Amino acid sequence: MFHDNMKKILNLWLVAALLCGLGLGVASCSSDDDDTTPATPAGEPVNGKPGDAAPDDVSIDDELRRLLNEHNGAEDSIYFFLEEAQKEGNFLSGKYQTCRYTYLSTTADGRPVWLTGRMAWPEDGKAQYIIGGCHITMTDNKGCPSMSTKMTSDCGITCMLFASRALVVFPDYEGYGSTVDRAHPYLYQKATARQVIDGIVAARQQFLEKRGGQLSDDYKTVVVGYSQGGSVAMATHRYLEQGIDGRAPLADDLRLAGSVCGDGPYDPVATLQQYVSQNRLCMPVVAPLIIKGMCDANPYVAGKYTIDQYLCADFLNSGIARWISDKSLSTDDIQQRLCQYSADHSTSTHEYTVAPDDSIFVMYGFARESTGWFSSEDRGFQPITAENNERYSWRENNGDRYATAGATLRPEVREFFSGNGSLSGSLSGAFSSPSPAMTAIRQALDMNNLTQGWQPQHPMVVFHSMHDEVVPFVNYERARQAFTGEHFHGVTYDTNVQTHVSTGKSFFTLYLSYYVNALRNGEALPRERNVIGKW
C-alpha cells in the first residue's frame, strides 16, 4: 500500500511537472508573482532537450584589460570603441556569472521546440533590471549566443555593459544552438519575436528559481538589438504589447520600459527596393538570407516556391545557399568566398556555368594601383577578376565590396522591386501582371513589415546611421513616418563612422547604455535627435 501511494504521488508530481513545462500550469511553477510562462503548443518537441551548463565567472575589469591590451590602433576597430567607452564610464566595475540555458518555445511552423540562449547575472545574484538581447545576423552557428563567449560580440559587449547590475538574456534564434539542423526563418518577425519573449520569460524564471537570484521590486525590462537584432527588438516590443496568436500580452508582466533598436530592416520591401534602385548590395548574402528565410518558413512561400525562382543562377552556383544552410562560415567568410568566386569566373577564363544570356556573378571592390615604389592611386570600384587581382590591390574596409542587383536578383524580381510601383500598397509592383511567385514573396515581405499596423505604447528608440550601406536609411524613414505617437524617439547617426558594421560597434559601446538607462529610469527623450561629429 505504501508503494502504491508513493506511485500515485509520483505520478501526480510528474503530471504537474509536465503541465508546468508546457506552460499549462503557470501560477504554480514560479516563485515570482509576476511570472506568466507563455503557452507552447501541445505535442512532443521537435528535438531533444539539451543538457544544462554550469555558469562561468567573469570579471569585467579583467576582460576589459585583456581586450584593450589587444588594441591595434585602428579607429574603426572594436578595441578603439571599447577604449572610448571605458573613458566615458560606460562599463561598470564588477563581476557576473554567465551560462547557456535551455527553454521550451515554438518553431516558425508552430511546433514545440527546445531552444538555447545565453543568460548572465550579477555575481551577488541581485539584478536591478532585465535586458532582453536580440542578436545580429549570423551565418555561422559557432557565433550564436549559446555557443560563443566572445567578449567583442554583441552579446559579449552587452553583458559587460549591464550584467554586473542586470539579468542579461540573449536567446538563440531558431536555426542556431540546439536547432542548428533546422532552417533559420530570417526576418520572420512574429516567429522570432515569440522565441525571444519565451526566452526572456524562461531566463527570468530560471534566474529566480534555479540560480537563487533576486530582482529588484521596481525592476523593468528593456529590449535591445542591432541590425537583424534591431528589427527583432522592434518585433519583440510589438508582440509584448499585442500578444501573439491569442496569447495575452506580456508587456506588463515583464514591466517593459521600452526598446532600443539599431539599424534594423524594419521594412523589407523598401530595403529590397533600395538595393534595386541603387543596383548595389554591399553584403550580397543578405538577399539570399531574406529569400531563403521566406522560402523555408513563410506560409505564403514555403513549399510553393524555391530560391532559384528569385536569385540568379550563377550567384547560386557560387555555393551561397549551401553556405547559409551549412552554418559554418561567418558573413565575412562568405564575403571573401564570393570575391574569390568572382575572380575565378572572370571574363577571360570563359568558365561560365550558366546560359549565355544569364548574368555572370561579379563582385566589385575599391581598387588601388601602384604608380611607383612608394606610391599608388585610387582607381575607384573595379570588377574583381583574375586580371584585376594582378593589376590592383583592394581596399578591405567595410563598404569597399559590393555586387550589383543585376548579378544577384533575377530580372522579374528587379522589375517588381524597381520602385516604380507603390512602396507599401498594391502588389502590382512596376508592371501589371506579376507572377504568382512574385505576388507571394511580396505578401511574405509585407507581413513582416514592422512599420505598419501598430503604434508603440512604450518608448522605442530607433537609432540608424544615415550612411548605412547594408540596411538602408529608408528603414528609419519608414519607422519615423509610421510611428506618429509620443513613444517614437529617433536617433539619426551622421558621423565619420558610417558603415553598417562600424556603426554597430559605436551603437553597442558608446550609445546603448545611455538609452537603456534613460528608458528604465523614465527619462524624457526628444522625438528626434541628430548625432554628428567624429563618432
Side-chain angles (χ1 to χ4, degrees):
M1 180 66 69
F2 173 79
H3 290 294
D4 291 340
N5 288 336
M6 285 299 296
K7 288 180 180 179
K8 291 177 181 178
I9 292 170
L10 286 172
N11 287 336
L12 288 171
W13 183 87
L14 288 170
V15 169
L18 177 61
L19 291 174
C20 178
L22 293 175
L24 301 175
V26 172
S28 63
C29 298
S30 173
S31 61
D32 180 6
D33 291 339
D34 290 333
D35 180 54
T36 306
T37 304
T40 53
E44 287 294 319
V46 299
N47 60 342
K49 183 178 180 181
D52 294 330
D56 296 319
D57 297 316
V58 178
S59 166
I60 296 171
D61 292 335
D62 290 348
E63 286 299 326
L64 279 174
R65 191 177 304 112
R66 177 184 66 81
L67 290 168
L68 294 180
N69 285 338
E70 300 174 10
H71 193 308
N72 64 6
E75 281 202 357
D76 66 344
S77 75
I78 187 59
Y79 308 109
F80 169 80
F81 287 104
L82 289 171
E83 187 171 43
E84 292 301 315
Q86 185 185 48
K87 291 176 183 176
E88 294 187 13
N90 293 350
F91 294 105
L92 301 177
S93 295
K95 297 181 179 180
Y96 65 86
Q97 293 187 301
T98 180
C99 70
R100 184 191 70 220
Y101 76 107
T102 303
Y103 65 99
L104 196 62
S105 188
T106 306
T107 63
D109 59 357
R111 294 182 289 170
V113 63
W114 288 107
L115 295 179
T116 44
R118 179 158 298 278
M119 55 187 288
W121 62 93
E123 183 185 42
D124 64 4
K126 298 177 180 179
Q128 300 172 16
Y129 52 99
I130 297 175
I131 298 293
C134 306
H135 68 72
I136 61 173
T137 294
M138 58 186 57
T139 53
D140 57 329
N141 186 59
K142 63 180 179 293
C144 73
S146 70
M147 298 288 291
S148 174
T149 57
K150 186 177 180 181
M151 304 308 295
T152 53
S153 68
D154 55 340
C155 177
I157 293 172
T158 305
C159 287
M160 286 197 295
L161 285 170
F162 303 113
S164 65
R165 304 290 188 273
L167 171 62
V168 177
V169 184
F170 263 82
D172 296 332
Y173 305 151
E174 181 181 355
Y176 298 99
S178 59
T179 56
V180 66
D181 59 329
R182 297 181 60 82
H184 170 49
Y186 190 74
L187 295 193
Y188 195 169
Q189 305 291 14
K190 181 187 286 188
T192 306
R194 178 173 183 161
Q195 294 164 2
V196 170
I197 292 169
D198 289 347
I200 296 172
V201 172
R204 180 182 63 176
Q205 184 169 338
Q206 292 185 32
F207 172 65
L208 294 172
E209 297 181 1
K210 186 174 181 178
R211 304 300 174 185
Q214 300 176 25
L215 281 167
S216 297
D217 291 340
D218 60 350
Y219 85 88
K220 290 182 170 61
T221 298
V222 181
V223 181
V224 306
Y226 183 81
S227 191
Q228 181 188 2
S231 68
V232 175
M234 185 178 287
T236 300
H237 184 139
R238 175 178 185 169
Y239 292 109
L240 278 171
E241 293 181 345
Q242 293 185 339
I244 300 178
D245 297 335
R247 298 187 334 182
L250 293 178
D252 290 343
D253 172 67
L254 282 170
R255 306 182 190 182
L256 179 65
S259 61
V260 186
C261 313
D263 286 52
Y266 315 118
D267 185 340
V269 172
T271 300
L272 279 177
Q273 286 181 322
Q274 194 82 351
Y275 291 159
V276 172
S277 66
Q278 294 182 348
N279 197 27
R280 180 174 295 198
L281 287 81
C282 288
M283 191 180 287
V285 69
V286 171
L289 278 170
I290 294 173
I291 300 299
K292 188 176 185 303
M294 299 301 149
C295 289
D296 286 335
N298 190 277
Y300 287 110
V301 183
K304 304 169 187 175
Y305 306 103
T306 56
I307 192 172
D308 61 327
Q309 292 176 269
Y310 303 101
L311 300 179
C312 292
D314 198 40
F315 184 37
L316 290 172
N317 285 341
S318 70
I320 186 73
R322 183 181 71 254
W323 301 334
I324 292 172
S325 296
D326 289 347
K327 300 171 189 169
S328 60
L329 298 175
S330 69
T331 54
D332 286 343
D333 294 335
I334 289 176
Q335 188 86 325
Q336 185 57 43
R337 290 209 178 187
L338 288 174
C339 289
Q340 187 60 54
Y341 184 77
S342 175
D344 291 344
H345 286 68
S346 62
T347 54
S348 66
T349 64
H350 300 291
E351 294 177 0
Y352 298 160
T353 53
V354 295
D357 58 345
D358 205 347
S359 299
I360 300 301
F361 181 77
V362 178
M363 288 286 290
Y364 289 79
F366 196 92
R368 296 182 63 86
E369 185 173 16
S370 175
T371 56
W373 283 104
F374 301 104
S375 61
S376 61
E377 293 185 6
D378 291 344
R379 299 303 186 199
F381 283 97
Q382 300 291 335
I384 298 177
T385 63
E387 304 94 327
N388 283 344
N389 271 344
E390 296 179 1
R391 179 176 179 180
Y392 301 124
S393 60
W394 305 100
R395 230 167 44 186
E396 296 186 359
N397 298 326
N398 294 315
D400 286 339
R401 301 279 195 279
Y402 74 87
T404 64
T408 53
L409 303 173
R410 292 184 64 83
E412 186 182 9
V413 179
R414 300 198 305 274
E415 186 178 2
F416 190 79
F417 290 101
S418 66
N420 295 329
S422 169
L423 283 176
S424 57
S426 168
L427 293 177
S428 62
F431 51 96
S432 58
S433 300
S435 70
M438 292 312 308
T439 299
I441 200 70
R442 175 62 187 263
Q443 290 172 315
L445 296 173
D446 266 342
M447 72 173 284
N448 291 288
N449 184 350
L450 296 170
T451 67
Q452 58 188 18
W454 73 298
Q455 291 287 327
Q457 303 303 306
H458 297 76
M460 182 174 66
V461 176
V462 180
F463 181 107
H464 213 108
S465 169
M466 298 179 72
H467 309 280
D468 194 316
E469 82 287 7
V470 176
V471 183
F473 188 66
V474 67
N475 285 279
Y476 173 86
E477 294 174 325
R478 292 289 178 269
R480 181 187 58 197
Q481 293 165 6
F483 303 132
T484 57
E486 63 180 325
H487 296 300
F488 174 86
H489 304 287
V491 182
T492 56
Y493 189 66
D494 186 15
T495 72
N496 292 348
V497 177
Q498 298 186 351
T499 64
H500 183 75
V501 172
S502 294
T503 299
K505 298 171 187 176
S506 181
F507 170 83
F508 280 105
T509 57
L510 301 179
Y511 293 92
L512 183 58
S513 61
Y514 170 78
Y515 285 109
V516 164
N517 289 326
L519 291 179
R520 70 184 189 87
N521 292 324
E523 297 176 14
L525 293 171
R527 165 82 182 169
E528 266 192 295
R529 173 194 175 195
N530 180 237
V531 177
I532 59 175
K534 195 171 183 180
W535 56 76

